[in-house]
Amino acid sequence: MRLVIVDQRTALVPIDPAGPRAGALEISTPGVVAGLIALFEQIWASGRPFGEVAARDQDGLTTQERGLIELLAEGHTDESAGRKLAISTRSVQRTMMVLTRRLGVSSRFQAGVEATRQGWVRG
């Protein structure tokens, strides 16, 4: 989501994140701006320098891939998984496509079965 914070007192956020041409809201309520700043700081802290390769766990999964698999195994939709991971629905779908390919299957259902078989899904 696009976000502009000015002097830690005013924030601009899109009226509709899916349609940025719809305009933006100017927010100056201190509590709301503080929350948006905290959100930004949390996301910034979890980022990595551009071009740096993401670390992988013992199964060869990035933290984001592992989180996505766990959320989908819990029954989350692409949209809710994206919100929880702070990524777009499109990024969820792209990541799932990469994982499906890596698992050597052709459907998401098969991916779930194969991910479980390989120990990627922990119960």
Side-chain angles (χ1 to χ4, degrees), residues 42-106:
Q42 180 182 3
I43 292 171
W44 183 264
S46 68
R48 62 183 184 276
F50 184 75
E52 181 180 290
V53 177
R56 296 188 179 273
D57 65 14
Q58 70 277 5
D59 295 318
L61 300 171
T62 65
T63 303
Q64 182 174 300
E65 291 169 338
R66 170 73 61 200
L68 176 59
I69 288 171
E70 290 172 0
L71 290 169
L72 294 177
E74 291 172 6
H76 288 269
T77 64
D78 289 355
E79 292 79 15
S80 72
R83 281 193 302 274
K84 289 197 174 281
L85 294 171
I87 61 175
S88 70
T89 301
R90 195 173 195 151
S91 291
V92 167
Q93 294 165 343
R94 188 172 34 253
T95 301
M96 199 57 219
M97 186 173 58
V98 167
L99 291 172
T100 300
R101 211 175 302 131
R102 277 180 40 203
L103 289 165
V105 298
S106 58

Side-chain angles (χ1 to χ4, degrees), residues 15-52:
I15 290 172
D16 178 5
R21 293 178 185 238
L25 293 173
E26 179 180 331
I27 301 169
S28 58
T29 306
V32 177
V33 173
L36 290 170
I37 291 169
L39 173 64
F40 172 83
E41 295 296 338
Q42 180 182 3
I43 292 171
W44 183 264
S46 68
R48 62 183 184 276
F50 184 75
E52 181 180 290

Side-chain angles (χ1 to χ4, degrees), residues 107-122:
S107 75
R108 288 176 70 136
F109 179 79
Q110 289 175 311
V113 171
E114 186 62 21
T116 301
R117 192 183 71 71
Q118 292 192 27
W120 290 9
V121 177
R122 297 183 176 110

